[in-house]
Amino acid sequence: MAGGLLSYGIDVVDAYRQYGVYTARILKSARPADLPVLQPPKFELVINLKTARALGVKISDNLLSLADEVIE
């Protein structure tokens, strides 16, 4: 939204939910060393078409169809 062309990263809401589950397990006396290392469950692709147009970059329709969010 601030002008970036493309972003690919974790879904922050899902990550915080996962942190909450871990915290609850620790508060219920689970040892942190016994907890598994988790990978982020979901990644998001966001494409900013306004910035792409300003830079003269053509984004393929295939990539646009894969995006989780497209900023007009």
Side-chain angles (χ1 to χ4, degrees), residues 47-68:
I47 300 172
N48 190 333
L49 286 180
K50 184 178 177 182
T51 301
R53 282 197 273 300
L55 294 173
V57 176
K58 171 71 172 124
I59 306 291
S60 73
D61 292 334
N62 187 26
L63 187 59
L64 287 173
S65 69
L66 295 174
D68 294 301

Side-chain angles (χ1 to χ4, degrees), residues 3-69:
L5 176 61
L6 190 126
S7 171
Y8 184 70
I10 64 170
D11 182 356
V12 177
V13 174
D14 282 343
Y16 283 133
R17 187 174 300 120
Q18 198 171 30
Y19 302 153
V21 171
Y22 250 48
T23 302
R25 290 175 70 179
I26 291 169
L27 291 174
K28 292 179 183 176
S29 301
R31 290 178 3 139
D34 294 337
L35 295 176
V37 175
L38 298 177
Q39 296 293 321
K42 181 181 176 187
F43 289 84
E44 290 183 320
L45 174 62
V46 179
I47 300 172
N48 190 333
L49 286 180
K50 184 178 177 182
T51 301
R53 282 197 273 300
L55 294 173
V57 176
K58 171 71 172 124
I59 306 291
S60 73
D61 292 334
N62 187 26
L63 187 59
L64 287 173
S65 69
L66 295 174
D68 294 301
E69 182 180 352

